[in-house]
Amino acid sequence: MSKENSTIHIKHFVEGVAYLLRETFAGSPPGQPSAYLDRGVGIFATLDGLTAEAASREFHGTTIAAQTEHAKFYLDRLCEYINGRTEPVNWDDSWLIETVNDAEWEALRASVRHAYENTLRCVASVVDWNEQRVGMAIGMVAHTAYHLGAIRQIAKTN
């Protein structure tokens, strides 16, 4: 196999990561194939369908607000690492928000949208996709998909 056939084109990798992040956050648009979700069940639609009270309701030691803040925090920090951050992160800080009022819930949902948009820009701007950056990009997809599932399961109990 030639080297050309054994490598992935950066453009295809970035497009694949962006496609999966879009599905995780915005859901699959009508008429488009889905990688792993039912139509219209991304993070945005799920969070928009919840009140601050529902997002703050404890379920087995966590809340939707906590899951949401943690997923957003993770995206923000991984973009920082992709862009050269070397300082350690206190991951416990990602779980500090457990309950929200209406204004805080609105602000948290807006910050999730901002983190998602920033993540797409972050992934698109990488020129040198080394092993560590590829792992972080794949981690972004897997981690946010996991938390979407956790949020949706908790929401079913409300």
Side-chain angles (χ1 to χ4, degrees):
M1 178 182 284
S2 73
K3 182 176 180 178
E4 183 177 324
N5 291 333
S6 66
T7 60
I8 184 169
H9 292 279
I10 291 172
K11 176 182 182 278
H12 295 148
F13 175 75
V14 170
E15 288 173 353
V17 169
Y19 173 83
L20 293 171
L21 286 169
R22 273 192 300 277
E23 182 167 343
T24 302
F25 284 88
S28 295
Q32 294 291 328
S34 171
Y36 55 86
L37 294 177
D38 296 329
R39 301 286 180 241
V41 295
I43 287 175
F44 299 144
T46 301
L47 298 181
D48 288 347
L50 298 170
T51 64
E53 180 183 350
S56 300
R57 196 169 294 127
E58 190 271 333
F59 180 78
H60 292 286
T62 192
T63 66
I64 290 171
Q67 295 284 319
T68 301
E69 171 61 20
H70 174 76
K72 178 194 73 70
F73 187 97
Y74 181 87
L75 285 179
D76 289 342
R77 298 302 78 79
L78 255 61
C79 281
E80 290 172 3
Y81 278 120
I82 284 173
N83 287 316
R85 178 185 179 130
T86 57
E87 303 85 29
V89 170
N90 181 354
W91 291 103
D92 291 341
D93 289 349
S94 69
W95 295 102
L96 293 177
I97 294 176
E98 294 179 359
T99 60
V100 290
N101 61 32
D102 290 340
E104 292 165 337
W105 182 231
E106 182 66 31
L108 180 55
R109 289 184 296 152
S111 71
V112 168
R113 286 183 184 276
H114 177 74
Y116 161 72
E117 292 162 1
N118 183 59
T119 299
L120 291 178
R121 284 189 297 273
C122 171
V123 169
S125 71
V126 174
V127 176
D128 178 23
W129 280 103
N130 59 30
E131 183 178 354
Q132 187 175 26
R133 285 186 177 126
V134 167
M136 285 188 270
I138 293 169
M140 289 172 163
V141 172
H143 190 260
T144 54
Y146 167 82
H147 285 286
L148 169 60
I151 290 165
R152 290 187 54 76
Q153 290 302 309
I154 296 167
K156 287 181 180 183
T157 67
N158 285 328

